[in-house]
Amino acid sequence: MRGIKRWSDIPSSEITSEDIFWSRRKFVQAAGIVSATSLVPPVIGDETNEILRYQGEVSFSQVPPLWLTQKIGVARPSEFSTKEAVTPYNHITQHNNFYEFGSDKDDPAEKAVNFNSDPWSVEVSGEAEVRGRIALEDILKNHDLEERIYRLRCVEAWSMVVPWIGFPLADLVKRLKPTSNARYVRFETLYDPKQMPGQRSMFTSIDYPYVEGLRIDEAVNELAFVAVGVYGRSLPPQNGGPLRLVVPWKYGFKSIKSIARISFTSKRPKTTWEKANSREYGFYANVNPLVDHPRWSQATERRLPGSLFAPKRTETIAFNGYGPQVAHLYADMDLKRYY
Ligand SMILES: Nc1nc2c(c(=O)[nH]1)N[C@H]1C(S)=C(S)[C@@H](COP(=O)(O)O)O[C@H]1N2
Ligand SMILES: [Mo]
């Protein structure tokens, strides 16, 4: 295991200590809270003790179970969080890719409002000592939750900064005890056409259930994360509630939502986007400004939110800026070939 590192990956020209202070403070004010702590600027470069919370109104037909709300409520900040300004809650929850609920960015928020994910369980199979169906509560009871503010870079060349709540994927993988034959972890999204209109559509461009996968060494990297919340709340269905993957150094499509199955395999799983178009989407999908998508450049990205008249275009960084933590995983690979 490598030691915990502090963040120093953000070009200092892009963010000032004042930005950090005002982004947190504006957030707290917008939420209508005036607490003593909100008036005290955090010591820059130090961890603040509070996680970001969205206090505005949200309405979903499903109220998260109390134990989950309580568990999320005691999440702690993480050293791995970026200090960049976070994307507002409304953008994170209303600009989504979740083809099971439609292919327009505003489809998931609209069509997943009634998604019922309680009770939820995950079926574990394959090359692991622990197999079978595990209830969400049993998955979570062994893990303390933390907030990880990560950049999310979509292959479509937009990006956001998201305050996820969850726990390291490595801790779950270790608990499931993969055998020595396990070289990959395969994830599958729920298949439930009654609840997911995209799975009933005749015009779908991808196969369901949605499948993703990681090499085991990628899966146990300290940055690979399982999210169950965002902005101090449980994860809304459009963001992949109740349980999703977050792999911040890879294009967003690797961060599979609403996981219902996990299996350990000796062979590389066939993943959804690679199956749909292997020339455009690879298994690795590491963020890489030097390898363009066949139909567009990956050298820059549009940071959300931005307006048509004032788009925030920034340079895309290799491994989405997480190179110090993950570049060693690909040291002997030709990343132009294994895109
Ligand atoms: N099951 C499933 N997972 C998915 C997707 C999807 O369509 N279905 N879209 C992916 C893509 S392309 C991106 S960019 C992210 C978006 O996550 P967000 O909506 O929480 O920002 O989810 C990923 N996970
Ligand atoms: Mo994406």
Side-chain angles (χ1 to χ4, degrees), residues 202-255:
M202 299 200 314
F203 307 103
T204 175
S205 48
I206 57 174
D207 280 350
Y208 298 109
Y210 194 100
V211 171
E212 259 309 334
L214 295 172
R215 243 169 35 197
I216 289 272
D217 61 336
E218 297 179 310
V220 300
N221 182 274
E222 57 204 1
L223 295 183
F225 200 60
V226 178
V228 294
V230 66
Y231 264 110
R233 291 176 168 259
S234 64
L235 207 55
Q238 61 266 39
N239 292 93
L243 180 94
R244 73 171 294 171
L245 191 64
V246 179
V247 194
W249 70 95
K250 292 177 180 283
Y251 290 123
F253 67 83
K254 298 293 293 183
S255 294

Side-chain angles (χ1 to χ4, degrees), residues 96-100 152 160 189 210 239 244 252 255 257:
N96 302 101
N97 274 335
F98 198 169
Y99 277 44
E100 285 84 338
L152 172 83
M160 303 195 281
T189 295
Y210 194 100
N239 292 93
R244 73 171 294 171
S255 294
K257 295 176 168 180

